[in-house]
Amino acid sequence: MIRHHLSDALLTGYAAGTLPEAFSLLVATHVSLCDECRARLAALDAVGGALLDRQEAVPMAEGALTATLARISGTRPEARPMSRPQPGLFPEPLRAYVGGDAEAVRWRPVGGGVRQAILPTASGASARLLYIPAGTAVPDHGHHGTELTLVLQGAFRDETDRFARGDVETADEALEHTPIAEAGDPCICLAVTDAPLRFNGLIPRMLQPFLKI
Amino acid sequence: MTIEDDGARHCAQMLAVARHADQAAFAALFAHYAPRLKAFLMKSGATAAQAEDCAQDVMAIVWRKAGQFDPARASVATWIFTIARNRRIDLLRRDRRPEPEDLPWGPEPEPDQADALALQQDSQRLGEALAQLPEEQRTLIERAYFGDLSHSEIAEATGLPLGTIKSRIRLALEKLRQRLS
């Protein structure tokens, strides 16, 4: 049961197509797991549809229809593709960035048993997978900008609440927290941010340049 | 001709394209949507020439992917909007656009008529509510959808009756899940 969802502002940005790529990846991954947010997103897409429908028409060039008919002539609309839910940990949009499911991730240790893998996305925001062994704490840290964390396996707790598979924690400048992975499976999360993380402890701060975040 | 009639007619035309590769139905959709797509894309920062090309691209995709249109989950305007938004990202930003995992489609090809009709009516009401918003608020929403606001500037979408259409789609998703389980 997912208890922590995406904000309206974030879903609106995704519907409008203005989010940085890393944020779009997190939204698409969460929506894959959450029918509630899928329905909210469909409602926000409908706002876009209503805006499109009410535009003042700007005439197309002469011959535009003929040119388009020429492009599609001799083709038939494709049949609806049959899709089945894939077993595994990562929904399809995340698999496309990893090149497979969890076993395909190329983890790099970042200290304290924590591992991460930075995913290739356009500039403006960054995305990474985090692997936190059960019972391990991620160093106490604050945030510049916005950081979103989506749990894919296991669960973590911090000063605010508990977060399990499908839950999204939204952290902004006001939040200083120490997430701790629960006992059981290692906690695997997708984290995206539009600014570098800053750690409060001396050693994590020295490590930060190597984290490339 | 009211917008409600337009919505039902476009829906029938879209299904005629999907099922029968009906070029006359496609031409009718083109006549309505291509000039509106062009307007939308120009407001999103495309030049007239880019918008013209992109509107034609979008309509060609509408033909090719017609089989994916589901009238129980979106109006024709909404479905075409999502295609145009994605093309705009390709055109103006060249970023990748991660999309949610597709829902598992069953073998059952006929959408429930009552569900489809209800969704089309909800879409129409949403359009009317949008038109009746105070000028300032409507402008803000338009700017958000034209890509004129950064993601951090977009506020919560307040004042729009989104709950009705959201609940409708939520029910459609539950029915789909039940059918498949």
Side-chain angles (χ1 to χ4, degrees):
Chain A
M1 184 67 193
I2 296 174
R3 293 166 49 237
H4 300 278
H5 298 273
L6 299 166
S7 69
D8 279 346
L10 203 62
L11 275 173
T12 306
Y14 184 77
T18 47
L19 291 185
E21 185 183 339
F23 282 66
S24 291
L25 173 61
L26 185 135
V27 170
T29 306
H30 174 82
V31 167
S32 301
L33 298 170
C34 178
D35 279 354
E36 176 66 16
C37 287
R38 195 185 281 271
R40 289 169 65 210
L41 175 60
L44 290 163
D45 282 346
V47 175
L51 288 174
L52 173 63
D53 224 9
R54 281 162 194 266
Q55 290 300 300
E56 291 277 340
V58 173
M60 292 291 283
E62 210 175 315
L65 174 60
T66 314
T68 309
L69 285 173
R71 281 175 61 183
I72 63 171
S73 83
T75 70
R76 287 186 71 85
E78 295 160 9
R80 178 183 287 182
M82 294 285 281
S83 64
R84 285 190 191 78
Q86 299 226 32
L89 206 57
F90 295 169
E92 173 50 33
L94 183 55
R95 273 171 211 252
Y97 279 76
V98 169
D101 202 18
E103 69 281 350
V105 180
R106 297 171 65 182
W107 297 108
R108 301 268 185 271
V110 291
V114 179
R115 294 184 245 165
Q116 74 168 8
I118 294 172
L119 302 176
T121 54
S123 61
S126 58
R128 66 207 164 108
L129 286 163
L130 286 170
Y131 175 104
I132 309 158
T136 302
V138 176
D140 192 16
H141 64 285
H143 310 85
H144 292 294
T146 303
E147 187 190 26
L148 302 170
T149 307
L150 167 64
V151 178
L152 297 157
Q153 176 185 284
F156 72 81
R157 282 179 188 277
D158 67 9
E159 290 79 347
T160 67
D161 211 335
R162 175 178 188 270
F163 299 83
R165 178 166 167 87
D167 284 329
V168 178
E169 176 167 61
T170 304
D172 59 18
E173 320 234 338
L175 181 71
E176 296 247 347
H177 66 158
T178 308
I180 300 174
E182 280 190 356
D185 285 332
C187 185
I188 296 179
C189 303
L190 172 64
V192 305
T193 177
D194 54 7
L197 284 180
R198 56 193 154 92
F199 287 101
N200 293 335
L202 177 62
I203 292 179
R205 189 176 300 144
M206 288 168 61
L207 276 172
Q208 194 160 4
F210 303 102
L211 302 185
K212 256 185 61 185
I213 48 180
Chain B
M1 189 65 77
T2 68
I3 288 193
E4 185 164 8
D5 293 335
D6 279 353
R9 197 177 64 245
H10 295 154
C11 190
Q13 287 163 340
M14 203 58 236
L15 293 173
V17 171
R19 290 172 189 161
H20 312 299
D22 184 332
Q23 290 208 7
F26 178 77
L29 289 168
F30 189 98
H32 182 81
Y33 283 106
R36 285 170 175 77
L37 285 165
K38 188 170 174 179
F40 178 83
L41 291 159
M42 286 172 68
K43 286 193 186 159
S44 306
T47 64
Q50 282 175 324
E52 170 81 28
D53 283 353
C54 190
Q56 290 189 31
D57 281 351
V58 169
M59 292 309 298
I61 297 170
V62 165
W63 172 269
R64 188 156 49 81
K65 295 196 170 171
Q68 291 175 29
F69 169 67
D70 178 352
R73 277 167 54 198
S75 70
V76 175
T78 298
W79 188 65
I80 294 181
F81 161 75
T82 61
I83 294 172
R85 170 197 61 205
N86 295 358
R87 283 299 293 163
R88 187 186 69 196
I89 294 172
D90 289 346
L91 181 75
L92 299 178
R93 301 227 314 256
R94 298 178 195 286
D95 282 3
R96 276 168 84 180
R97 159 84 181 183
E99 289 284 332
E101 191 162 282
D102 202 2
L103 288 170
W105 291 105
E108 175 264 355
E110 289 297 317
D112 187 305
Q113 296 266 348
D115 287 351
L117 181 63
L119 193 277
Q120 304 303 319
Q121 286 170 348
D122 288 345
S123 302
Q124 187 219 343
R125 284 193 202 103
L126 179 60
E128 284 163 4
L130 194 61
Q132 284 161 12
L133 284 179
E135 176 77 28
E136 199 177 327
Q137 198 184 350
R138 194 177 62 243
T139 306
L140 202 64
I141 292 172
E142 286 178 353
R143 286 182 60 204
Y145 279 79
F146 296 146
D148 210 15
L149 296 179
S150 76
H151 73 281
S152 53
E153 291 169 320
I154 292 179
E156 310 286 308
T158 50
L160 280 172
L162 293 175
T164 314
I165 200 162
K166 192 222 82 178
S167 306
R168 179 91 54 201
I169 294 164
R170 187 81 168 88
L171 280 174
L173 294 176
E174 275 168 27
K175 277 168 89 174
L176 178 68
R177 299 269 185 218
Q178 278 167 11
R179 240 188 358 253
L180 292 164
S181 65

